[in-house]
Amino acid sequence: MLNNFVTPDLYPAAPEIFLLLMAFLVLFVDLVFGATHRWMAAMLTVITLFGCAAITLVTSDGQTTLTFSNMFVDDLLSDFLKLMTYLAVIMMLVYSRQYMADRGLDKGEFYVLVLFATLGMMVMISAANLLTMYLGLELMSLSLYGLVAIDRESPRATEAAMKYFVLGALGSGLLLYGMSMIYGATGSLEIGGIAQALYQDQAERSALVFGLVFLVAGVAFKLGLVPFHMWIPDVYHGAPTAITMFVGSAPKIAAFAMALRLLVYGLFGIAEDWQQMLLVMAVLSIGLGNLAAIAQTNIKRMLAYSAISHMGYMVLGLMAGVVGGRVEAFTALNAYSSALYYTIAYVMMTLGAFGTVLLLSRAGYEAENLEDFKGLNQRSPWFAAMMLIFMFSMAGIPFFIGFFAKFAVLLAAIKAGYTMVAVIAVMFSLVGAFYYLRVVKLMYFDSPVDSAPITAGLDLRVLLSLNGIAVAAFGLFPDQLALICYTTLARSL
């Protein structure tokens, strides 16, 4: 048996290997120096992510490389999504540094769990096999369960973690059962092998469609689409705000990669079947997310329901690649690149919105109710302007990145013949504008209920300013990011 073993090419997986080794180093350093030098674990974690970014850039040659017996792929798409993931995680760490320190939660396990969750996302992004995808998903999910419960003295956080764990196990079970059915129908665990079996019409049709239902349900759970959205409001509300920011940002990039790899790369041959499922879930998510968010008085719950609606908009792009059973390369690329563009835009806006919540929080005080934003313009006109940018962008008001992201996915849906769906999405977008503009109204037209000075650190203030400027700048010049998304997919599909 050993004579048949082929040594895998480790070069494409260099960022993952580096991150894994550094995670153990962070754990060791915290064990030795954690009691007196807590900053060392934080510094090493950020250095690790910058190191991963450097390795990803150095090893990226624009070619598609398979390794580990075709279980792991390194292509332009994986490199781009990993870079976006590193950026999102680094921003989360900078935003949350003071918040976690004020509550005594900036321990070594926080940084180690963040690194292992990031590793899981990286594996998901580069998965070329159903087993690799599942391993990456579980590594990310288990780390997130621990992070949600990291404040062990908070009953709310513990309850949120238990709900997340139970429902997450259900979602993983659905996904795994769907994968097993697809393996039985096609005889392959490789995503490329599944696509080949469909192309050659060698798959057992009834088992394939049966497995597809469970697979789409598992993917929908990770994206937070209706009716698999139950965990999102409770987890967003119960977790510490810094962890909520993490759960709501970088994992969305990995979930998009999972949906793209499984549905577009692997099951493109039965796109008409999964398109109809995504269509129903997209409309329900946009509708329920926007309507439920109106009733929220807690901004974390409001942003949770907002996330459900935003994922519904993103799915509009994913389902618009095949028109009437016909595949046109230009139309498909436009649709999938619009979904990628929307995902990146959403992560940027989410990081900024939660960053503002962390800006207003301080030791012993959580600024998570809408009332906490009253009179922010009087306390800090600059950061009120930043929050205004994030809210306007999320509402899809010109000219911010959120407007062009919505415009791109709606245009893709119209070109695919889903004009009525696009009209419904626009109508619910108008409904959603209410709860975003309500935050702006509270900041600019109400008197402050909290007159305490904003005590956030310089790093948070600078990063939040850059985040807001980026959301506005990409709105004024949207073509650059759109071109990157289109080129990345064109050279990877």
Side-chain angles (χ1 to χ4, degrees), residues 178-195:
M179 287 178 171
S180 67
M181 293 294 293
I182 288 170
Y183 170 61
T186 61
S188 177
L189 286 170
E190 292 180 18
I191 292 173
I194 293 167

Side-chain angles (χ1 to χ4, degrees), residues 82-373:
K82 284 176 189 176
L83 289 171
M84 292 298 101
T85 302
Y86 305 146
L87 178 62
V89 178
I90 290 170
M91 290 175 69
M92 183 279 295
L93 289 171
V94 174
Y95 277 136
S96 62
R97 181 190 62 81
Q98 189 63 48
Y99 178 92
M100 299 298 278
D102 286 344
R103 288 151 184 81
L105 301 176
D106 60 334
K107 301 172 184 175
E109 52 264 36
F110 165 66
Y111 298 104
V112 172
L113 285 170
V114 166
L115 287 178
F116 275 114
T118 307
L119 179 61
M121 296 175 215
M122 294 164 70
V123 173
M124 286 173 69
I125 289 168
S126 284
N129 186 290
L130 298 183
L131 289 179
T132 319
M133 183 69 74
Y134 188 73
L135 286 172
L137 175 65
E138 286 305 293
L139 179 57
M140 179 190 78
S141 298
L142 290 170
S143 301
L144 291 179
Y145 302 152
L147 284 169
V148 171
I150 197 164
D151 187 359
R152 287 176 289 183
E153 296 181 4
S154 168
R156 200 173 71 178
T158 306
E159 180 186 351
M162 285 301 298
K163 288 179 179 177
Y164 193 13
F165 174 71
V166 172
L167 293 172
L170 177 63
S172 296
L174 291 172
L175 185 71
L176 193 60
Y177 187 65
M179 287 178 171
S180 67
M181 293 294 293
I182 288 170
Y183 170 61
T186 61
S188 177
L189 286 170
E190 292 180 18
I191 292 173
I194 293 167
Q196 189 70 18
L198 294 180
Y199 179 75
Q200 296 174 351
D201 202 21
Q202 295 176 343
E204 207 287 306
R205 178 74 184 181
S206 57
L208 183 69
V209 175
F210 191 70
L212 177 67
V213 173
F214 286 95
L215 189 79
V216 171
V219 171
F221 179 87
K222 296 306 172 185
L223 287 171
L225 296 171
V226 174
F228 305 100
H229 66 288
M230 303 81 69
W231 61 276
I232 288 188
D234 290 334
V235 171
Y236 273 48
H237 186 201
T241 305
I243 307 302
T244 304
M245 173 192 280
F246 187 45
V247 173
S249 55
K252 300 297 185 188
I253 299 173
F256 167 81
M258 178 173 71
L260 194 74
R261 298 278 188 202
L262 292 177
L263 300 179
V264 177
Y265 281 65
L267 297 167
F268 195 72
I270 53 171
E272 286 184 284
D273 293 310
W274 54 258
Q275 273 181 324
Q276 298 309 309
M277 287 185 263
L278 291 185
L279 172 64
V280 174
M281 290 190 291
V283 173
L284 290 176
S285 299
I286 292 169
L288 185 140
N290 281 315
L291 290 173
I294 292 174
Q296 307 306 315
T297 58
N298 182 287
I299 194 160
K300 288 162 70 175
R301 292 189 77 88
M302 188 195 88
L303 291 173
Y305 283 107
S306 163
I308 295 168
S309 71
H310 280 294
M311 288 301 100
Y313 285 106
M314 186 276 287
V315 166
L316 288 181
L318 270 184
M319 70 170 204
V322 179
V323 183
R326 292 178 292 105
V327 182
E328 296 177 9
F330 180 75
T331 305
L333 272 176
N334 265 335
Y336 301 137
S337 63
S338 72
L340 174 57
Y341 184 88
Y342 200 100
T343 305
I344 302 300
Y346 169 73
V347 169
M348 286 176 61
M349 297 183 297
T350 298
L351 286 167
F354 279 110
T356 311
V357 177
L358 292 176
L359 174 85
L360 298 179
S361 301
R362 56 184 183 273
Y365 180 75
E366 298 283 344
E368 57 181 43
N369 293 314
L370 291 179
E371 286 193 352
D372 296 320
F373 285 82

